[in-house]
Amino acid sequence: MSEEQPEVTAAAPPQEAPPRGPRWLRAVVGTVQTLAVLVFATIVTITFLNIARRFLGLTSYLWVEETARVLLLWLTFLGGTLAVARGTHLTLDLFTRRTTGPAARIGRAVTVLGSILFFGLLVRGGWDFAAASARRLLPSLEIPAIWQTASAAAGGALFLLVFLGQLLSQQRRDSDGPATGAPTDRSA
């Protein structure tokens, strides 16, 4: 007696939609994406070289760990910006997806306002944290710690910029809908 095993197929990876919106928004997202790639490549390169030094019996550089840590913080917020731009960042839309009409509109408004509030708090809190660490030096790099702590404020500002840019772009698209009220798909 043989048991049939169900066929397991891998799901296709999600297709990354190009960022929507005006040219300036696409330029900001493109710049952030380029910076994220450069930061990631730098982290991988310096960490690999430090590991190679250890493998060869040489001492590792202390500045590499500190630099990688600073860059990882920046990469976190650059990546978060890209997630906001692609609409893949954490959202609370369970309620709005299951409702229609006025309740859905109110739910979306609450979600939008909550996101703006969160991003604003991230900018404010990040700025306060960066300002408090401005006089402190990072031990190995001997540079002001603000280079590390400013990542939260900068990330929050980028989140807010991209989110508001997309929101305004969506509002413009919604208000510029078809003038006749007819469907735009002419293939039918």
Side-chain angles (χ1 to χ4, degrees):
M1 180 172 182
S2 68
E3 293 181 32
E4 288 189 37
Q5 295 292 326
E7 183 178 336
V8 178
T9 58
Q15 296 295 323
E16 289 186 16
R20 300 175 80 184
R23 184 175 297 156
W24 68 265
L25 182 58
R26 291 191 309 268
V28 167
V29 172
T31 301
V32 168
Q33 186 170 359
T34 301
L35 285 172
V37 168
L38 292 173
V39 167
F40 182 72
T42 303
I43 292 170
V44 169
T45 302
I46 64 174
T47 303
F48 174 76
L49 292 176
N50 216 29
I51 290 170
R53 285 184 57 83
R54 288 183 202 156
F55 183 74
L56 295 173
L58 303 171
T59 59
S60 60
Y61 293 120
L62 293 177
W63 63 266
V64 170
E65 268 187 60
E66 198 165 66
T67 302
R69 189 171 49 246
V70 170
L71 292 176
L72 188 58
L73 282 169
W74 282 94
L75 183 60
T76 298
F77 289 105
L78 292 172
T81 302
L82 295 175
V84 170
R86 290 185 172 93
T88 57
H89 209 277
L90 176 67
T91 61
L92 302 174
D93 60 356
L94 179 65
F95 175 73
T96 57
R97 286 181 180 222
R98 295 181 184 259
T99 58
T100 59
R105 285 193 293 279
I106 291 169
R108 282 192 297 274
V110 168
T111 301
V112 166
L113 291 175
S115 296
I116 292 170
L117 177 66
F118 174 75
F119 298 152
L121 288 172
L122 186 59
V123 171
R124 175 59 193 231
W127 180 260
D128 290 345
F129 186 53
S133 65
R135 292 194 176 132
R136 186 173 55 87
L137 294 179
L138 295 174
S140 296
L141 296 174
E142 296 182 1
I143 61 172
I146 197 168
W147 283 98
Q148 178 178 3
T149 56
S151 61
L158 285 170
F159 290 0
L160 194 56
L161 177 69
V162 169
F163 185 78
L164 290 176
Q166 288 182 326
L167 188 63
L168 293 172
S169 177
Q170 181 65 44
Q171 290 293 337
R172 185 170 292 136
R173 278 194 305 273
D174 289 348
S175 67
D176 291 345
T180 62
T184 57
D185 183 16
R186 296 184 185 185
S187 63

